[in-house]
Amino acid sequence: MTLLTWTPENKADFAAKNLLFNHDLDQSPLFTDEALIALIDRYPRDKLEVFTMGYDPANWGQWYLGRRGDLDGRALMEGVKAGRLWLNLRKVNHADADIAALCDQMFDEIKAQSGTTTLKQDLGLLISSPNAHVFYHLDMPLVMLWQIRGVKKLYLYPPAAPCVDDAHLEGVALRESDEQLPYDAGFDSLALVHDLKPGEMMTWAQNAPHRIVNHGMVNVSLSIEFMTPRALWRANVIYANGCLRRYFGLKPSLARSPKWLEPLKIAYARIIKALGGFKGLKSPLTPRFSIDPVIPGKIIFDDGVVAPEMPGQKPVKSKANEAA
Ligand SMILES: [Fe+2]
């Protein structure tokens, strides 16, 4: 009995191409409301990330990290249902034995069915509000998105120009840009668009830019990142290219640079990392809002933060902006 449906194409192209699978984890007792509430309460308090966001898919600046405060799992779930929140329990496979066992089962199955060796497995649990969205971005590892509950629209773009250029791709590898990329609505004509439903899983080519828009219901999904030896090789070449561009003003191209240079680049990337890694433009998110402890999902932005404007509504300014 496998977790996923494996067609010949899915076996041959796993970790290389965009693929759609079916699964039945949406029926698992691990992901009922009560199980999720208990999981949130077992998960390390300071590791749980809570976000909210604006409405314009081109306005990356309105992706806000928040504080969970004293809210427990039940209150956070109520907040997700009532508000515009995006909870991320990163690396939950490292924090919970049941999820760890599920994650091991997934990757054992992937090895058995496709022959793919994986490493750095990171299972993130996403619990998100109706109509919440994630801005255009790309991830350096490979990704599987398992849909458990609700429906989300996935826009998946080619990992190449014009959707992403070398300098921005390197910026993600060097962690100088929070994974964000410039988005142009014109890219949508190049996108694979799919409404991901409970019981479906999509995985895509490494570094494919994507954005996600929830339909009008709570969504529960597993966002699983992993590497293969080949994916790690590519990530290190991108890292080296980024350092060569930023330290020496070179203009390396991932698509056109000679392959024989790659082992040298891998060695160069290892040396830079051993010396402490690239120290460039870091932009870690700082918390910008709290959640009302009484009214579920009500967001209280910090002074100075302009609350995102819902289409058709006037912007609500914080006290600091009113004073100014
Ligand atoms: Fe992503």
Side-chain angles (χ1 to χ4, degrees):
M1 189 62 186
T2 58
L3 292 168
L4 290 165
T5 52
W6 289 92
T7 64
E9 185 196 12
N10 286 359
K11 290 184 185 192
D13 294 336
F14 188 82
K17 292 186 181 172
N18 301 337
L19 298 172
L20 177 66
F21 288 77
N22 290 109
H23 65 83
D24 56 12
L25 275 191
D26 53 317
Q27 307 298 325
S28 166
L30 286 173
F31 304 110
T32 62
D33 262 13
E34 290 304 316
L36 291 175
I37 288 166
L39 181 57
I40 291 171
D41 288 337
R42 288 199 301 276
Y43 185 75
R45 284 192 71 79
D46 57 333
K47 291 260 179 7
L48 185 140
E49 293 176 333
V50 51
F51 299 94
T52 191
M53 74 295 297
Y55 298 86
D56 175 0
N59 191 351
W60 233 107
Q62 292 191 330
W63 178 251
Y64 297 117
L65 178 66
R67 305 172 197 85
R68 71 178 283 181
D70 292 330
L71 299 186
D72 62 7
R74 192 168 301 280
L76 284 169
M77 286 294 283
E78 288 303 312
V80 167
K81 282 178 192 163
R84 187 171 174 81
L85 297 174
W86 192 279
L87 306 184
N88 190 352
L89 283 71
R90 289 183 195 271
K91 292 185 165 55
V92 68
N93 56 314
H94 295 271
D96 186 88
D98 289 345
I99 302 290
L102 174 66
C103 189
D104 288 348
Q105 189 186 351
M106 286 175 178
F107 284 102
D108 287 349
E109 180 177 316
I110 286 164
K111 174 73 178 166
Q113 295 290 330
S114 71
T116 307
T117 299
T118 58
L119 36 132
K120 297 178 183 274
Q121 300 95 344
D122 170 357
L123 189 154
L125 174 65
L126 307 173
I127 307 172
S128 52
S129 294
N131 304 311
H133 71 131
V134 172
F135 291 93
Y136 187 75
H137 72 282
L138 67 81
D139 304 291
M140 199 42 57
L142 290 152
V143 180
M144 294 185 283
L145 186 61
W146 297 59
Q147 189 66 357
I148 307 293
R149 218 179 307 163
V151 181
K152 56 191 350 113
K153 191 176 285 291
L154 173 65
Y155 297 79
L156 198 52
Y157 304 80
C163 297
V164 58
D165 64 23
D166 281 298
H168 284 104
L169 182 58
E170 295 156 12
V172 176
L174 297 172
R175 298 181 188 279
E176 66 181 9
S177 60
D178 294 329
E179 300 176 346
Q180 76 265 45
L181 301 169
Y183 167 69
D184 183 319
F187 297 163
D188 286 1
S189 63
L190 302 170
L192 184 165
V193 184
H194 180 75
D195 284 317
L196 196 68
K197 293 172 274 300
E200 291 185 335
M201 182 276 268
M202 277 203 80
T203 182
W204 47 84
Q206 187 180 12
N207 307 141
H210 50 284
R211 63 189 185 92
I212 288 163
V213 184
N214 283 358
H215 285 217
M217 72 286 273
V218 169
N219 269 238
V220 178
S221 319
L222 306 178
S223 171
I224 305 178
E225 297 186 349
F226 62 101
M227 283 289 192
T228 62
R230 195 169 150 194
L232 202 52
W233 181 278
R234 176 181 162 99
N236 274 311
V237 170
I238 295 168
Y239 190 97
N241 283 351
C243 292
L244 292 170
R245 186 184 309 276
R246 286 150 180 83
Y247 290 146
F248 301 107
L250 302 183
K251 295 192 169 30
S253 156
L254 185 65
R256 293 194 303 278
S257 295
K259 292 288 170 214
W260 63 265
L261 271 178
E262 291 192 353
L264 298 173
K265 289 182 178 178
I266 300 291
Y268 174 59
R270 288 207 180 117
I271 290 168
I272 297 286
K273 288 179 181 179
L275 294 173
F278 177 80
K279 306 261 189 316
L281 303 160
K282 303 283 179 187
S283 53
L285 291 175
T286 50
R288 309 301 292 275
F289 71 92
S290 305
I291 306 170
D292 191 300
V294 179
I295 303 172
K298 180 166 188 273
I299 287 167
I300 303 166
F301 282 102
D302 294 356
D303 285 355
V305 181
V306 178
E309 186 179 352
M310 198 193 296
Q313 270 195 354
K314 288 186 175 175
V316 178
K317 288 184 181 173
S318 67
K319 285 179 219 157
N321 277 349
E322 278 168 13

